[in-house]
PDB file of all heavy atoms in Angstrom:
ATOM      1  N   GLY N 445     204.733  -1.941 140.759  1.00  0.00           N
ATOM      2  CA  GLY N 445     204.625  -1.703 142.228  1.00  0.00           C
ATOM      3  C   GLY N 445     205.597  -2.595 142.984  1.00  0.00           C
ATOM      4  O   GLY N 445     206.266  -2.117 143.907  1.00  0.00           O
ATOM      5  N   GLY N 446     205.676  -3.818 142.650  1.00  0.00           N
ATOM      6  CA  GLY N 446     206.545  -4.713 143.327  1.00  0.00           C
ATOM      7  C   GLY N 446     208.061  -4.382 143.118  1.00  0.00           C
ATOM      8  O   GLY N 446     208.843  -4.373 144.064  1.00  0.00           O
ATOM      9  N   HIS N 447     208.379  -4.056 141.942  1.00  0.00           N
ATOM     10  CA  HIS N 447     209.787  -3.691 141.676  1.00  0.00           C
ATOM     11  C   HIS N 447     210.153  -2.313 142.250  1.00  0.00           C
ATOM     12  O   HIS N 447     211.262  -2.168 142.670  1.00  0.00           O
ATOM     13  CB  HIS N 447     210.070  -3.754 140.121  1.00  0.00           C
ATOM     14  CG  HIS N 447     210.202  -5.153 139.600  1.00  0.00           C
ATOM     15  ND1 HIS N 447     211.377  -5.835 139.715  1.00  0.00           N
ATOM     16  CD2 HIS N 447     209.313  -5.997 139.132  1.00  0.00           C
ATOM     17  CE1 HIS N 447     211.198  -7.076 139.256  1.00  0.00           C
ATOM     18  NE2 HIS N 447     209.931  -7.177 138.913  1.00  0.00           N
ATOM     19  N   ALA N 448     209.194  -1.384 142.274  1.00  0.00           N
ATOM     20  CA  ALA N 448     209.462  -0.159 142.920  1.00  0.00           C
ATOM     21  C   ALA N 448     209.760  -0.377 144.393  1.00  0.00           C
ATOM     22  O   ALA N 448     210.689   0.232 145.000  1.00  0.00           O
ATOM     23  CB  ALA N 448     208.283   0.827 142.772  1.00  0.00           C
ATOM     24  N   ALA N 449     209.015  -1.308 145.051  1.00  0.00           N
ATOM     25  CA  ALA N 449     209.157  -1.596 146.443  1.00  0.00           C
ATOM     26  C   ALA N 449     210.568  -2.208 146.672  1.00  0.00           C
ATOM     27  O   ALA N 449     211.354  -1.815 147.560  1.00  0.00           O
ATOM     28  CB  ALA N 449     208.127  -2.575 146.906  1.00  0.00           C
ATOM     29  N   SER N 450     210.985  -3.177 145.764  1.00  0.00           N
ATOM     30  CA  SER N 450     212.315  -3.784 146.065  1.00  0.00           C
ATOM     31  C   SER N 450     213.416  -2.784 145.730  1.00  0.00           C
ATOM     32  O   SER N 450     214.467  -2.841 146.305  1.00  0.00           O
ATOM     33  CB  SER N 450     212.441  -5.102 145.319  1.00  0.00           C
ATOM     34  OG  SER N 450     212.055  -5.014 144.089  1.00  0.00           O
ATOM     35  N   TYR N 451     213.151  -1.867 144.751  1.00  0.00           N
ATOM     36  CA  TYR N 451     214.171  -0.851 144.488  1.00  0.00           C
ATOM     37  C   TYR N 451     214.404   0.013 145.732  1.00  0.00           C
ATOM     38  O   TYR N 451     215.556   0.299 146.165  1.00  0.00           O
ATOM     39  CB  TYR N 451     213.737   0.008 143.291  1.00  0.00           C
ATOM     40  CG  TYR N 451     214.607   1.295 143.123  1.00  0.00           C
ATOM     41  CD1 TYR N 451     215.821   1.213 142.448  1.00  0.00           C
ATOM     42  CD2 TYR N 451     214.221   2.463 143.669  1.00  0.00           C
ATOM     43  CE1 TYR N 451     216.595   2.343 142.342  1.00  0.00           C
ATOM     44  CE2 TYR N 451     214.991   3.640 143.538  1.00  0.00           C
ATOM     45  CZ  TYR N 451     216.177   3.564 142.888  1.00  0.00           C
ATOM     46  OH  TYR N 451     216.982   4.637 142.742  1.00  0.00           O
ATOM     47  N   ALA N 452     213.272   0.434 146.346  1.00  0.00           N
ATOM     48  CA  ALA N 452     213.389   1.236 147.605  1.00  0.00           C
ATOM     49  C   ALA N 452     214.132   0.521 148.693  1.00  0.00           C
ATOM     50  O   ALA N 452     214.870   1.097 149.438  1.00  0.00           O
ATOM     51  CB  ALA N 452     212.015   1.662 148.051  1.00  0.00           C
ATOM     52  N   ASP N 453     213.880  -0.814 148.766  1.00  0.00           N
ATOM     53  CA  ASP N 453     214.610  -1.648 149.743  1.00  0.00           C
ATOM     54  C   ASP N 453     216.075  -1.687 149.524  1.00  0.00           C
ATOM     55  O   ASP N 453     216.862  -1.738 150.516  1.00  0.00           O
ATOM     56  CB  ASP N 453     214.088  -3.142 149.642  1.00  0.00           C
ATOM     57  CG  ASP N 453     212.834  -3.332 150.445  1.00  0.00           C
ATOM     58  OD1 ASP N 453     212.653  -2.533 151.426  1.00  0.00           O
ATOM     59  OD2 ASP N 453     212.098  -4.307 150.227  1.00  0.00           O
ATOM     60  N   GLY N 454     216.483  -1.677 148.258  1.00  0.00           N
ATOM     61  CA  GLY N 454     217.875  -1.869 147.912  1.00  0.00           C
ATOM     62  C   GLY N 454     218.766  -0.667 148.057  1.00  0.00           C
ATOM     63  O   GLY N 454     219.977  -0.756 147.834  1.00  0.00           O
TER      64      GLY N 454
END
Side-chain angles (χ1 to χ4, degrees):
Chain N
H447 284 274
S450 47
Y451 168 83
D453 273 339

